[in-house]
């Protein structure tokens, strides 16, 4: 049976004192990490709320906050977020897998420069590229299209992410070249080899970029703020900021909207958990 030792070396400790210490440590971790989530869940379904109090058990369960959230167009903002993250993540995965295949399997001039540029984009804060990005969205190069006030303006900029391309590239490099050579000997073309041999073996990496990509796009604040010209196009992160500053919105509606903004990220992680963990640990074990 495999054992996993903790960073504190608690697994090696034995005896009642050590057991009590483990219970205290693990209990503290559970309270710290799950307490705010449970508090948010309970408060969102509570009929009466005390902004200065914190409880893990509601006085009366109710859907009033979620009904009132509909009056504030929260579900419209939620739908906008799903549209952006759905098409944006699909585009990002497609760009990542094809770009990674070119970087991992093809040899061309300037490959090092391309990798360096990708790493550079990962180090730039969004605030630095906000003005150049707004100019590009207002006048798309070559096509001269104005994407301000369109969903495409919120989707296209997230279609390429250096992190996803880097993860897929390093994972594809570990796929044995002999598998491709055997497929070509059997008469398979390059695209067929890519879709039937390489891509299925990269499923753990797809889980990693799927989870991180979903979270990155879902939490976008600056990009929708630049593109959306009408409140009807707001995504949920922007709407939360607006609801927080609206004096007519009660704390219950704000908590319900916050819960709706949090749940999709949790569901996405749970859906890709197996591939996500395999992708993170695949590079740690050799042989």
């Amino acid at each position: 049976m495999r054992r996993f030792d903790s960073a504190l070396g608690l697994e090696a400790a034995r005896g009642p004192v050590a057991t009590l210490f483990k219970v205290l440590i693990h209990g503290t971790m559970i309270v710290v990490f799950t307490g705010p989530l449970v508090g948010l869940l309970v408060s969102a379904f509570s009929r009466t709320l005390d902004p200065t109090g914190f409880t893990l058990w509601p006085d009366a369960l109710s859907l009033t906050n979620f009904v009132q959230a509909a009056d504030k167009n929260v579900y419209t903002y939620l739908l906008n977020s799903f549209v952006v993250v759905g098409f944006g993540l699909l585009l990002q995965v497609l760009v990542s897998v094809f770009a990674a295949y070119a970087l991992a399997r093809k040899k061309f001039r300037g490959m090092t420069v391309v990798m360096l540029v990708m790493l550079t984009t990962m180090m730039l804060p969004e605030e630095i590229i906000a003005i150049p990005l707004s100019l590009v969205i207002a006048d798309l190069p070559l096509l001269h299209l104005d994407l301000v006030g369109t969903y495409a303006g919120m989707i296209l900029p997230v279609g390429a992410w250096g992190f996803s391309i880097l993860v897929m590239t390093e994972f594809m490099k570990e796929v044995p070249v002999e598998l491709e050579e055997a497929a070509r000997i059997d008469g398979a073309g390059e695209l067929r080899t890519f879709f039937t041999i390489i891509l299925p073996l990269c499923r753990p990496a797809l889980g990693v970029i799927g989870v991180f990509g979903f979270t990155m796009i879902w939490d976008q604040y600056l990009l929708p703020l630049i593109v959306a010209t009408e409140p009807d196009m707001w995504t949920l992160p922007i709407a939360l900021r607006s609801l927080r500053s609206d004096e007519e919105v009660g704390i219950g509606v704000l908590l319900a909207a916050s819960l709706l903004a949090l749940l999709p990220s949790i569901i996405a992680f749970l859906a890709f958990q197996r591939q996500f963990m395999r992708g993170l640990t695949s590079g740690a074990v050799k042989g």
Side-chain angles (χ1 to χ4, degrees):
M1 184 176 180
R2 182 179 295 180
R3 284 183 52 192
F4 294 93
D5 294 335
S6 66
L8 298 177
L10 297 179
E11 295 298 328
R14 295 291 185 268
V17 177
T19 302
L20 179 60
F21 185 69
K22 293 177 188 179
V23 171
L24 291 176
I25 292 294
H26 294 158
T28 302
M29 293 176 61
I30 292 174
V31 171
V32 170
F33 288 104
T34 65
L37 178 60
V38 174
L40 174 62
L41 181 64
V42 170
S43 300
F45 287 95
S46 297
R47 183 183 301 274
T48 57
L49 294 173
D50 180 9
T52 62
F54 180 82
T55 179
L56 297 179
W57 190 261
D59 295 333
L61 290 177
S62 174
L63 296 177
T64 303
N65 296 328
F66 294 92
V67 174
Q68 294 177 354
D71 298 333
K72 298 298 180 180
N73 296 327
V74 170
Y75 298 106
T76 301
Y77 307 140
L78 181 64
L79 179 61
N80 292 338
S81 294
F82 278 124
V83 170
V84 173
V85 78
F87 288 98
L89 184 59
L90 177 62
L91 179 61
Q92 187 179 112
V93 171
L94 290 175
V95 171
S96 299
V97 295
F98 284 112
Y101 179 73
L103 292 172
R105 286 296 191 257
K106 306 298 181 181
K107 302 296 181 183
F108 55 90
R109 288 184 178 181
M111 181 184 298
T112 305
V113 177
V114 173
M115 294 295 293
L116 182 62
V117 170
M118 285 196 307
L119 291 174
T120 303
T121 59
M122 295 170 57
M123 301 176 186
L124 294 176
E126 290 185 347
E127 292 77 10
I128 293 180
I129 63 174
I131 295 179
L133 182 61
S134 63
L135 296 177
V136 170
I137 293 175
D139 186 11
L140 196 65
L142 300 180
L143 299 178
H144 300 290
L145 296 176
D146 185 5
L147 299 181
V148 176
T150 65
Y151 287 105
M154 290 185 279
I155 294 172
L156 292 180
V158 299
W161 190 26
F163 174 81
S164 296
I165 297 175
L166 183 63
V167 170
M168 289 300 304
T169 300
E170 295 303 318
F171 203 93
M172 285 187 182
K173 288 180 179 179
E174 300 297 325
V175 177
V177 182
E178 291 79 9
L179 295 177
E180 295 181 61
E181 295 175 348
R184 291 193 176 96
I185 292 175
D186 292 338
E190 189 167 7
L191 282 178
R192 184 178 178 183
T193 302
F194 173 75
F195 283 108
T196 60
I197 303 296
I198 298 179
L199 204 56
L201 293 175
C202 295
R203 199 175 303 169
L206 290 174
V208 173
I209 68 173
V211 172
F212 280 105
F214 184 96
T215 305
M216 185 272 285
I217 300 174
W218 185 264
D219 293 339
Q220 281 290 322
Y221 179 82
L222 188 61
L223 179 60
L225 190 63
I226 294 174
V227 177
T229 56
E230 299 293 335
D232 291 340
M233 289 192 62
W234 284 356
T235 56
L236 202 50
I238 299 179
L240 285 175
R241 183 65 182 88
S242 176
L243 293 174
R244 185 178 179 183
S245 59
D246 191 347
E247 296 180 355
E248 297 181 359
V249 177
I251 186 65
V253 176
L254 183 60
L255 290 174
S258 300
L259 180 62
L260 292 174
L262 178 63
L263 285 180
S265 297
I266 298 177
I267 295 174
F269 174 76
L270 294 177
F272 294 99
Q273 182 180 12
R274 180 176 299 180
Q275 289 81 8
F276 179 77
M277 297 306 298
R278 286 179 57 192
L280 290 181
T281 59
S282 59
V285 180
K286 297 295 182 180

